[in-house]
């Protein structure tokens, strides 16, 4: 994806077949873009911005990963060896914040930037300049966030959920900057979401109805609506925190008549839909990849759309399942337990649909398919532990233990992150014009899959046996599980270096890809040449609805 | 407007609405808590006694717990730590505030009720917790709590615990600053 | 998938067979009726998930093997089947209802607030627990007792590393104990797995929970909600004794408290105060202000050579008694008796090169608390 050789719109680059493209006089009616750094700073091209998002996200993935490795290194054995508890807490907090807001979300936005216009047959995003602005907010936000680590008293140390009053009255002095950086990142997400909605609703190729859209577009549309609905709530919460810290209000302080539990309600009203923001686009990606490599249309397209929509709606009704032990009345516990269990149904439908797609297909196992299949299996395991966590009485034992850590890492790492990797392998030929090195890709896949399971599977056991989250030191009975987890984490971390190598290698060369890079693929992006020229679909393509 | 502009203005409206909604949730949450008793929050306004027949068939054990938060050299004593009341019956209990410190300070008692299911059925007619208290050095003030548990209190509630936590009021911010600024001092 | 199977067989063989080993792998069965119910609920859902997993992944891996391209070149083209789709929506719904029923029953039982025999107030503080037996005039603070040297690795770590305290919470077996839970500073969470009690303690608010322990024993747990730097170092130990043994213990505690109260009126020598003060300081104050009084700036000021404290005994007493709002410095008059307060203040004024010579008398402290 990186550094692709886009600015040379030579006609030869369309190595093969494929109609629909534009190629020829692409640049005649455009000014030559500025060169060098300025070009990247000012670009309004969805592909360049998409690439920048993806590179940014990969960078953050490594920074957040290094923080995770600090945590895992400290937890390698009992006792305090490498870091002090204060710094350990900053590492867990920053790891969570960076991975959620800096790695996973921007990666999905980057993929949307690249692929949504290509999949709906639009020449660019609806609001290209806004697109540029929303990207460039991110480096600002995360530079600020990372700089808090160097401030007196250190960076945020209260967990990525920043529960009051630990984060307000008792927070470090840098908390104000943390809030500011989160505001900036939030604005970036909101602007990105507006852009995606405007593109999908208004810029589809003539003849493409909503129910003709590829599922990646559908899931992103729903995700964007979730973002519009909940990012302002996050902005509201952190604004209240800011006021509590600096202007003497008491939204969350009991001393002044406020309520710390209100913080949790507001946070999780944002936080639970946020969790789905990080997984719905993954559903879209997997729904594109599995049919491609099974050479068979996606089973139950319509039910996939409805399932995604119902998951999104349910996500607003389940927030307090994160708060089963804060002391809620029985009725509330029951309500949130039932609604949470209901989510299993649309999620199950999705998994069944993917498996039915595989059934009687003609399946091959290229790297993107491997990641997508691992997604289905491991995400489902995360779903099972999620179902267990939904059972409120049992959650009194699971809550805030490593069982929860295992659960959400199963849905986020082999879930969201694997889907992003699958997407990268799947679309790299379209982005760079070369196939990714298949042998290295397989290596990357197998080391990642083994590493991820070694890391997170033992956490189920340590959690059930009683190990709380977010502790820098633990009693001796948890030592073995933690050692395995730490070894797995380093293996997973190291295997991501292969990923970077694959990407760099692919950008620089490799087996040339035709427009239709995967024989079983069916969406519009495969009708433009590989690599996709800087400007595509300047005249809307002819869209013939397939039988979804 | 172009279709894109229409979409954008609608989403922006939704955004503003959701931002306002987040703030609206603060008072809504209070109302919701008072109605459902979520989190043992107590309605902090005076209520009239509900004139209803006393339910002599059962006794409710009402416990009082007083606590003091940090930064306030006060004591809060209650005349009876535990009283037995019938639902419907109005009861008065005296609380004594003493300022043990050497200067005038304003403080406030924050109430909480357990089990939280009981809080919608607790009517406070008079309570020191409705307002702040200002006590001079060494001053001692006795104030009453007049309350009633209504007859419709769920049958499975046998004990109701009222907890009052004292917190210093005002200028908490400047106190904090003062406590933190001298790096060499202030056992902050 | 393979790992999933490992879990299945692992947990299957452990379930109920070897409780000692199960403690290391699985949720403990525990020693209360509620904890048993929760455990069986946990195992039920787990096995349901396992069965679903076997079926779903079975079909998936069958498809992957049977319909791989080398064996199956012509893919089918179907993409809908209403019957199947209705089936796989309704069957899970029924399974969920089947799970929800026992879960609801257990939850109702956990919320049963019928009459308790004993009320214990649990207060979370950065970073220790305070227990008060309501109406009994017995209360104490329970802090981590694992020596610092074990944490840093200078000493060998013992069996109950990080799960041991100076004063455990003592509870009777067979009686219903009601917990009232709150916190002084930030949110903590009181959790003992074998009692299946986990409840957040929230500053300014009171939560309620209860337990009726079936077997005497020592049960260990930890704070479960991130509460700042020493979150990992505020364990919980519950010592459950037979009912009559408990009554004796409670009476002894009351007696001891009365004895200590007697000591308030007499004049204490500096040495005596220093000796007692060192004890108190190391158990309560040292986790933040360090054993050598060097503190940990900016959050925890140094006490050694602290001019503001040393020049102003009034200020020193005020801070220790009443705390500093918005910081982990709690109001220790709630936690300690006058003797402990006087001796720890005296110790701080005369240890680590602080040489004020002040001997703060318990009677002086006592007079400030009335």
């Amino acid at each position: 994806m990186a550094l692709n050789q886009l600015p040379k719109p030579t006609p030869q680059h369309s190595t093969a077949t494929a109609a629909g493209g534009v190629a020829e006089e692409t640049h005649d009616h455009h000014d030559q873009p500025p060169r060098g750094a300025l070009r990247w700073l000012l670009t309004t091209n969805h592909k360049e911005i998409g690439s920048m998002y993806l590179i940014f996200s990969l960078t953050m993935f490594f920074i957040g990963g290094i923080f995770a490795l600090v945590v895992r290194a400290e937890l390698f054995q009992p006792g305090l060896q490498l870091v002090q508890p204060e710094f350990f807490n900053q590492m867990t907090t920053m790891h969570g914040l960076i991975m959620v807001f800096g790695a996973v979300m921007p990666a999905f936005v980057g993929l949307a930037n690249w692929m949504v216009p290509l999949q709906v047959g639009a020449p660019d995003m609806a609001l290209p300049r806004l697109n540029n602005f929303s990207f460039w907010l991110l480096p600002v936000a995360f530079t600020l966030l990372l700089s808090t680590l160097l401030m007196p008293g250190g960076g945020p140390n209260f967990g990525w959920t920043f529960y009051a009053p630990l984060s307000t009255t008792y927070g470090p002095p840098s908390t104000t900057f943390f809030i500011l950086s989160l505001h900036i990142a939030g604005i970036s997400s909101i602007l990105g979401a507006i852009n995606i909605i405007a593109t999908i609703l208004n810029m589809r190729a003539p003849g493409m109805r909503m129910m003709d859209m590829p599922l990646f577009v559908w899931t992103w549309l729903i995700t964007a609506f979730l973002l519009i609905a909940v990012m302002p709530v996050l902005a509201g919460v952190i604004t209240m925190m800011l006021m509590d810290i600096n202007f003497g209000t008491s939204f969350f302080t009991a001393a002044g008549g406020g309520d710390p539990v209100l913080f949790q309600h507001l946070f999780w009203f944002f936080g639970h839909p946020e969790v789905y923001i990080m997984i719905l686009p993954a559903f879209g990606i997997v729904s594109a990849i599995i049919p491609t490599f099974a050479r068979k249309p996606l089973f139950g397209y319509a039910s996939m759309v409805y399932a995604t929509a119902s998951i999104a709606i349910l996500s607003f009704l389940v927030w307090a399942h994160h708060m089963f032990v804060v002391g809620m009345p029985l009725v509330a516990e029951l309500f949130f337990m039932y609604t949470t269990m209901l989510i299993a149904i649309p999620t199950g439908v999705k998994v069944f649909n993917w498996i039915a797609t595989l059934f009687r297909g003609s399946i091959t196992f290229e790297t993107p398919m491997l990641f997508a299949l691992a997604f289905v299996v491991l995400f489902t395991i995360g779903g099972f532990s999620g179902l267990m966590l939904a059972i409120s009485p049992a959650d009194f034992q699971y809550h805030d233990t490593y069982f929860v850590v295992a659960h959400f890492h199963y849905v986020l790492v082999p879930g969201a992150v694997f889907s992003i990797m699958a997407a990268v392998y799947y679309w790299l030929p379209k982005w760079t014009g070369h196939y990714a090195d298949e042998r290295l890709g397989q290596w990357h896949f197998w080391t990642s899959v083994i590493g991820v399971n070694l890391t997170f599977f033992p956490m189920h056991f340590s959690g059930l046996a009683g190990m709380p989250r977010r502790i820098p030191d633990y009693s001796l009975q948890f030592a073995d599980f933690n050692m395995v987890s730490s070894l797995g984490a380093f293996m997973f971390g190291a295997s991501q270096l292969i990923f970077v190598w694959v990407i760099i290698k692919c950008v620089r060369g490799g087996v040339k890809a035709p427009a239709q890079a995967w024989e079983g693929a069916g969406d519009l992006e495969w009708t433009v040449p590989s690599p996709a020229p800087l400007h595509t679909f300047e005249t809307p393509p002819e869209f013939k609805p397939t039988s979804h | 407007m172009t279709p894109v502009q229409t979409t954008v203005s609608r989403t922006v409206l939704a955004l503003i609405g959701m931002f306002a909604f987040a703030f609206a949730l603060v008072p809504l949450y209070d109302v919701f808590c008072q109605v459902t008793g979520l989190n043992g929050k107590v309605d902090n306004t005076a209520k009239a006694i509900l004139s209803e027949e006393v339910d002599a068939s059962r006794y409710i054990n009402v416990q009082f717990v007083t606590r003091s938060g940090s930064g306030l050299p006060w004591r809060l004593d209650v005349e009876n730590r535990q009283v037995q009341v019938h639902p419907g019956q109005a009861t008065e209990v005296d609380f004594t505030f003493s300022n043990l410190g050497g200067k005038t300070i304003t403080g406030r008692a924050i109430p909480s009720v357990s089990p939280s299911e009981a809080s919608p059925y607790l009517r406070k007619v008079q309570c020191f917790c409705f307002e702040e208290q200002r006590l001079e050095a060494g001053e001692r003030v006795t104030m009453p709590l007049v309350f009633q548990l209504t007859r419709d209190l769920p049958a499975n509630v046998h004990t109701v615990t009222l907890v009052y936590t004292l917190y210093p009021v005002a200028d908490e911010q400047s106190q904090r600053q003062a406590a933190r600024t001298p790096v060499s001092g202030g056992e902050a | 998938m393979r790992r999933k199977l490992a879990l299945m067989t692992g947990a299957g063989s452990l379930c109920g067979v070897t409780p000692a080993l199960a403690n290391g792998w699985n949720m403990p069965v525990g020693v209360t009726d509620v904890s048993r119910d929760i455990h069986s609920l946990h195992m039920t859902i787990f096995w349901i998930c396992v069965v679903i997993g076997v079926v779903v992944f079975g079909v998936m891996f069958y498809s992957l093997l049977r319909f791989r391209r080398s064996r199956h070149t012509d893919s089918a083209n179907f993409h809908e089947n209403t019957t199947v789709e209705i089936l796989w929506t309704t069957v899970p719904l029924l399974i969920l209802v089947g799970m929800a029923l026992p879960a609801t029953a257990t939850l109702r039982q956990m919320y049963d607030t019928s009459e308790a025999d004993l009320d214990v107030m649990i207060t979370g503080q950065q970073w220790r627990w305070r227990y008060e037996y309501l109406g009994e005039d017995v209360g104490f603070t329970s802090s981590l007792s694992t020596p610092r040297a074990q944490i840093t690795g200078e000493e060998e770590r013992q069996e109950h590393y990080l799960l041991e305290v100076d004063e455990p919470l003592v509870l009777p077996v067979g009686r219903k104990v009601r917990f009232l839970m709150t916190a002084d500073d930030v949110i903590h969470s009181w959790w003992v797995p074998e009692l299946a009690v986990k409840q957040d303690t929230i500053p300014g608010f009171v939560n309620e929970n209860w337990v009726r322990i079936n077997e005497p024993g020592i049960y260990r747990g930890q704070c479960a909600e991130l509460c700042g730097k020493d979150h990992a170092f505020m364990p919980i130990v519950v010592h459950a004794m037979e009912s009559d043994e408990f009554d004796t213990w409670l009476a002894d505690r009351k007696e001891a408290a009365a004895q200590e109260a007697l000591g308030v009126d007499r004049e204490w020598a500096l040495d005596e105060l220093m000796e007692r003060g060192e004890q108190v300081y190391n158990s309560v104050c040292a986790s933040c202000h360090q054993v050598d009084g060097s503190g940990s700036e900016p959050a925890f000021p140094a006490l050694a050579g602290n001019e503001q404290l040393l020049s102003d005994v009034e200020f020193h007493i005020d801070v220790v008694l009443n705390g500093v709002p918005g910081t982990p410095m709690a109001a220790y008059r709630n936690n300690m008796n006058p003797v402990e307060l006087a001796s720890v203040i005296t110790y701080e004024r005369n240890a680590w090169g602080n040489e004020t010579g002040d001997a703060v008398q318990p009677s002086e402290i006592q007079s400030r608390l009335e």
Side-chain angles (χ1 to χ4, degrees), chain A residues 92-140:
Chain A
T92 52
T93 307
M94 286 297 234
H95 164 70
L97 291 168
I98 297 268
M99 287 304 195
V100 169
F101 296 102
V104 174
M105 289 172 68
F108 281 132
V109 180
L111 291 172
N113 253 291
W114 251 104
M115 302 320 298
V116 166
L118 285 179
Q119 290 197 323
V120 301
D124 203 313
M125 298 292 278
L127 307 155
R129 272 168 296 193
L130 190 72
N131 203 12
N132 170 293
F133 181 60
S134 56
F135 170 74
W136 281 109
L137 285 175
L138 282 179
V140 176

Side-chain angles (χ1 to χ4, degrees), chain A residues 186-435:
Chain A
I187 291 170
S188 163
S189 294
I190 288 172
L191 297 182
I194 293 179
N195 213 339
I196 288 167
I197 292 176
T199 309
I200 296 174
L201 292 186
N202 300 299
M203 300 185 61
R204 295 192 306 278
M208 184 187 273
R209 292 160 304 169
M210 295 290 274
M211 288 307 271
D212 296 326
M213 300 192 309
L215 263 170
F216 179 66
V217 177
W218 251 120
T219 51
W220 240 115
L221 180 66
I222 293 167
T223 304
F225 278 117
L226 283 180
L227 281 166
I228 297 288
V230 299
M231 290 313 279
V233 176
L234 174 69
V237 181
I238 56 179
T239 306
M240 289 176 210
M241 276 176 69
L242 191 72
M243 289 162 76
D244 271 8
I245 294 171
N246 295 308
F247 305 110
T249 56
S250 304
F251 286 101
F252 308 129
T253 320
D259 185 346
V261 176
L262 169 64
F263 175 89
Q264 298 184 25
H265 281 291
L266 292 175
F267 179 83
W268 286 114
F269 187 82
F270 146 79
H272 202 80
E274 165 70 21
V275 173
Y276 293 145
I277 287 166
M278 291 189 284
I279 202 66
L280 295 186
F283 292 160
I285 291 165
V286 172
S287 304
I289 292 174
I290 288 185
T292 298
F293 296 95
R295 292 166 182 78
K296 187 163 158 282
L298 181 70
F299 187 92
Y301 170 87
S303 71
M304 283 294 208
V305 174
Y306 300 138
T308 311
S310 26
I311 292 174
I313 291 164
L314 277 173
S315 75
F316 288 100
L317 299 173
V318 299
W319 77 88
H321 69 217
H322 297 270
M323 304 165 56
F324 278 146
V325 305
V326 297
M328 287 192 296
L330 179 61
V331 190
E333 297 262 340
L334 289 174
F335 174 81
F336 287 109
M337 173 168 81
Y338 297 151
T339 50
T340 306
M341 291 171 79
L342 275 183
I343 289 184
I345 292 174
T347 317
V349 165
K350 283 182 166 295
V351 174
F352 300 145
N353 281 340
W354 289 321
I355 293 175
T357 308
L358 294 171
F359 191 73
R360 295 184 52 207
S362 177
I363 304 165
T364 49
F365 299 93
E366 287 86 347
T367 316
M369 182 62 159
L370 288 176
F371 274 102
L373 293 173
F375 170 95
V376 175
V377 174
L378 300 176
F379 174 80
T380 305
I381 291 178
F384 285 143
S385 54
L387 184 59
M388 295 171 79
L389 284 159
I391 309 292
S392 151
D395 184 66
F396 274 78
Q397 293 280 44
Y398 306 140
H399 182 83
D400 263 338
T401 67
Y402 261 82
F403 190 77
V404 179
V405 178
H407 159 70
F408 69 74
H409 279 97
Y410 259 85
V411 292
L412 285 177
V413 184
V417 172
F418 271 24
S419 82
I420 293 165
M421 288 171 179
V424 168
Y425 282 104
Y426 184 57
W427 282 314
L428 262 177
K430 185 54 59 190
W431 299 337
T432 65
H434 310 120
Y435 287 103

Side-chain angles (χ1 to χ4, degrees), chain C residues 241-252:
Chain C
M241 337 176 138
E242 294 295 351
S243 213
D244 47 347
E245 212 181 326
F246 171 78
D247 289 333
T248 320
W249 174 85
L250 195 63
D252 288 350

Side-chain angles (χ1 to χ4, degrees), chain B residues 39 63 67-68 70-75 100 112 114-115 156 158-159 161 163 167 176 179 183-188, chain C residues 113 115 119 121 123 178 182 184 204-206 208 297 299 301 306 308 319 322-325 329 333-334 368-370:
Chain B
N39 208 16
Q63 294 175 322
R67 310 176 57 249
S68 41
S70 54
L72 192 65
W74 284 18
R75 232 170 84 167
L100 310 170
S112 177
S114 183
N156 61 352
H158 303 274
T159 304
T161 310
V163 180
Y167 286 107
R176 241 179 92 189
V183 176
S184 61
E187 199 171 332
Chain C
T113 55
E115 210 67 56
D119 290 336
M121 180 106 182
T123 310
R178 190 168 67 120
T182 187
D184 278 341
F205 294 87
V206 184
E208 203 173 303
E297 304 283 359
N306 184 322
Q308 196 179 0
V319 168
N322 301 313
V324 181
M329 187 67 202
R333 68 197 161 95
N334 300 327
R368 287 166 192 266
L369 297 177
E370 284 173 349

Side-chain angles (χ1 to χ4, degrees), chain B residues 33-56:
Chain B
C33 286
Q34 278 151 21
V35 173
T36 60
L38 187 70
N39 208 16
K41 263 204 167 176
V42 193
D43 189 353
N44 238 6
T45 49
K47 293 259 178 64
I49 286 277
L50 205 61
S51 57
E52 55 180 11
E53 212 177 309
V54 172
D55 176 2

Side-chain angles (χ1 to χ4, degrees), chain A residues 384 387-388, chain C residues 44-54 99:
Chain A
F384 285 143
L387 184 59
M388 295 171 79
Chain C
T44 312
I45 318 159
F46 170 73
W47 285 114
I48 294 176
C49 287
V50 168
V51 172
I52 300 174
V54 169
M99 289 182 183

